[in-house]
Amino acid sequence: SSMIRHFTAKNAISHKSLFSFFLSFFLSFFLSFLVDQKRKLDEALVNMVVKDSQPFSIVDDCGFKEFVALLDPTYSLPSRRALKNMVVQRYEVEKTKAKAVIQRVEAVSLTADMWTSINMDAYLAVTCHYLDESVKLATVLLGVLPFPEAHTAANITAATRSLMEEWSIEGKVTSIAGPNMVASVRSLNLRHALCFAHSLNLVVKKSLDATPGLQDLRTRARKVVTLFKTSTTAREKLKEVQEQMNRPVMKLIQEVDTRWNSTFLMLQRLFKERQSVGAALATLKTDVRPLSSEEYETASACLQLLGPFYQATVELSEEKRVSGSKVIPMIKMLMLYLYDTVGNISHDTAKQLGQNLVSVMLNKFDTTENQTALNLSTLLDPRFKTLGFYNQVQAQSSVKRLTAQCSQVIRDTPTEEQPSTSDQPANVGNPPSTAFSTDDSDATVEVQRYMVDPPLERSEDPLDYWSKHRNVYPHLYILAKQFLCTPASSVPCERVFSKCGEIVSKKRNRLNPKTQIHFKSLGDQSKHASEQEVFSTKTLLARWVRVRACEYVIKSLMSIN
């Protein structure tokens, strides 16, 4: 108050004028803070709805309103329609950012697949995979399109082409992976990449179905699992027996007809818990009987044979690693494993299963090493190169193909930007035939230098290698960015559909297809985002202090008046 009296005396300002000045200043500051606070809370609300797949109607729930009012009485929840508009605006912002990133990318690979929701609505999902500026594998969802039309190649082609045009990637797509997409990819004049996870699933499933004795074993195993899945008494008895045996409490796993790995997991868990299951069944009044010792022996022998196939399925389903380059080496390792193992198996059923696997794999993957997207990605993976090929004649043919691609890259590179990879002088002014000859020579030298380099360890990252060697093999580096983003399967699309299944729940079954796309796309973006400032305890405390300080200053000024 002494300072205020001194200030007013020297400057001939009345207490009322000074009060008005300070009041307007602090009110404007306080209002700007409230506006900023509301914006951040609105963003946090959108993040919560998208990340947790909450319905828009959550803003009308009484319990949620009471919770928000207790956290911040000054915050007014938006209406359901306003919240929907906020989600749409956020989607457009994130989509614009993603498009800007895609525009700077030289090459992309796509995966595509179809899905039907609980409302019997069909959708086509397309995901895009590329190497970003830091040479790291990245993925973006291009769209989940409603697909009421017949699932013909022509309709799928038209929908895929419209997405490519929307994202301006028509000339950047190196390959498309997806089951049942061969005709559509051919219509788009693009390379089709084998969906290895889907093909491997068909191989093992067909081999299991063709093996005598396994059908009866799986049927009896399903009956045992069904009992413990559907009966509360049986489930509690199994839990009690496991605890009495000092074993971890583990539930049995049921087989799913469309997924062979569920058969593997069912038999594996049942074999592991055979003692607990047998003891539990002995005390239950049921017609279901445990598997015999001979059946458990058959299951054990088949599980040992199928173990590498399960590991391959899991590894090739990982989205964050280079996967397309692993397809050819994985097929080679599985074939060598079968040839080495089948001859040493004494169990008749397991031996027959092994022979079926060899026969079906030879039929299914006979031409895999001829696919450009896969053989070039294998060669450009410094862990494998030609070592990943089962057929070395095909490996050398693929090296020639890589050399031709490298020569084309050299010809397409502006002369002033071309770093020569040979000791020959530049052929400025030479005839075209001489220039082409020099390009071929430079390409051959660069490819051969790369091929004789020692391969990386299996655990090392091929993308780190190319990031460090981009100036050593400049033209192969361009090809590596084109082909090492090739996915091994359409699993990324299946993950999209899993998320869509959460979004289109019973509580949100009225969402229109366009809003579902907004939710799924934003969910992928927010999954990689950092923690929002609004969730920091220190930040919340600081905001509370600022609000209380503003209130105190305003009260003080009013008391002066």
Side-chain angles (χ1 to χ4, degrees), residues 325-351:
S325 61
K326 296 179 182 178
V327 173
I328 291 176
M330 200 73 73
I331 294 173
K332 174 185 176 180
M333 288 187 285
L334 289 175
M335 291 302 301
L336 292 177
Y337 166 77
L338 289 174
Y339 285 140
D340 292 341
T341 305
V342 172
N344 299 323
I345 295 177
S346 57
H347 196 282
D348 292 339
T349 304
K351 191 179 187 69

Side-chain angles (χ1 to χ4, degrees), residues 104-215:
R104 298 193 296 268
V105 174
E106 297 179 9
V108 300
S109 293
L110 306 181
T111 62
D113 206 353
M114 303 292 297
W115 175 70
T116 303
S117 71
I118 60 174
N119 296 329
M120 299 306 296
D121 297 322
Y123 296 90
L124 170 68
V126 180
T127 61
C128 176
H129 310 267
Y130 59 92
L131 297 183
D132 60 20
E133 295 174 348
S134 59
V135 200
K136 299 297 181 183
L137 194 61
T139 300
V140 64
L141 175 64
L142 297 188
V144 183
L145 301 180
F147 209 85
E149 304 89 355
H151 298 179
T152 62
N155 291 335
I156 295 175
T157 299
T160 306
R161 180 177 284 115
S162 68
L163 274 178
M164 292 168 57
E165 292 173 352
E166 180 183 354
W167 286 78
S168 303
I169 57 173
E170 301 97 311
K172 298 182 178 182
V173 180
T174 58
S175 64
I176 300 181
N180 308 317
M181 289 288 293
V182 178
S184 299
V185 174
R186 189 182 299 116
S187 300
L188 292 168
N189 197 26
L190 296 171
R191 299 187 185 96
H192 178 260
L194 174 74
C195 179
F196 185 62
H198 181 261
S199 299
L200 194 63
N201 181 67
L202 294 178
V203 165
V204 182
K205 193 172 182 302
K206 186 175 182 179
S207 301
L208 289 171
D209 294 340
T211 304
L214 276 184
Q215 285 285 14

Side-chain angles (χ1 to χ4, degrees), residues 3 40 47 70 88 106 140 190 296 306 444 472 495 541:
M3 182 190 71
K40 291 181 178 180
N47 287 339
L70 185 62
V88 173
E106 297 179 9
V140 64
L190 296 171
Y296 276 124
L306 292 172
T444 301
V472 180
R495 290 199 181 101
L541 180 60

Side-chain angles (χ1 to χ4, degrees), residues 268-477:
Q268 184 187 58
R269 180 64 57 84
L270 198 57
F271 180 79
K272 185 176 182 179
E273 298 297 322
R274 60 190 183 279
Q275 294 179 346
S276 303
V277 170
L281 287 174
T283 62
L284 295 171
K285 294 181 180 180
T286 176
D287 294 333
V288 178
R289 294 289 177 260
L291 302 183
S292 64
S293 57
E294 291 80 9
E295 288 172 323
Y296 276 124
E297 183 181 348
T298 300
S300 176
C302 293
L303 286 172
Q304 184 177 357
L305 183 66
L306 292 172
F309 287 84
Y310 177 74
Q311 295 172 4
T313 301
V314 172
E315 182 171 351
L316 287 167
S317 298
E318 295 179 359
E319 187 175 336
K320 292 301 177 185
R321 300 182 183 178
V322 175
S323 54
S325 61
K326 296 179 182 178
V327 173
I328 291 176
M330 200 73 73
I331 294 173
K332 174 185 176 180
M333 288 187 285
L334 289 175
M335 291 302 301
L336 292 177
Y337 166 77
L338 289 174
Y339 285 140
D340 292 341
T341 305
V342 172
N344 299 323
I345 295 177
S346 57
H347 196 282
D348 292 339
T349 304
K351 191 179 187 69
Q352 182 62 53
L353 175 61
Q355 292 172 349
N356 291 340
L357 285 169
V358 171
S359 175
V360 179
M361 282 197 67
L362 286 175
N363 181 62
K364 188 70 175 178
F365 300 125
D366 183 49
T367 60
T368 302
E369 293 187 355
N370 295 329
Q371 293 189 22
T372 301
L374 295 180
N375 59 37
L376 291 188
S377 64
T378 301
L379 288 177
L380 290 166
D381 192 323
R383 299 171 298 177
F384 306 126
K385 300 182 182 179
T386 57
L387 297 176
F389 288 77
Y390 185 82
N391 185 339
Q392 287 303 306
V393 174
Q394 181 59 44
Q396 295 306 315
S397 175
S398 299
V399 170
K400 293 179 181 178
R401 186 177 301 173
L402 177 62
T403 304
Q405 291 273 353
C406 185
S407 179
Q408 184 62 47
V409 170
I410 294 174
R411 284 194 287 272
D412 293 342
T413 305
T415 305
E416 61 272 11
E417 297 180 10
Q418 276 193 26
S420 178
T421 56
S422 69
D423 297 330
Q424 299 178 9
N427 290 280
V428 179
N430 284 350
S433 59
T434 306
F436 286 154
S437 177
T438 303
D439 294 339
D440 293 341
S441 176
D442 285 348
T444 301
V445 170
E446 186 169 344
V447 170
Q448 292 304 319
R449 285 174 53 219
Y450 165 70
M451 288 297 171
V452 298
D453 274 354
L456 296 183
E457 293 293 329
R458 179 72 170 79
S459 58
E460 294 188 64
D461 187 354
L463 299 181
D464 286 343
Y465 172 90
W466 283 111
S467 179
K468 297 173 182 176
H469 290 75
R470 64 175 73 193
N471 295 323
V472 180
Y473 308 113
H475 306 105
L476 288 179
Y477 169 70

Side-chain angles (χ1 to χ4, degrees), residues 19 23 552-561:
F19 168 77
L23 181 61
Y552 176 77
V553 170
I554 292 173
K555 289 179 180 178
S556 299
L557 289 171
M558 292 180 69
S559 65
I560 293 173
N561 189 42

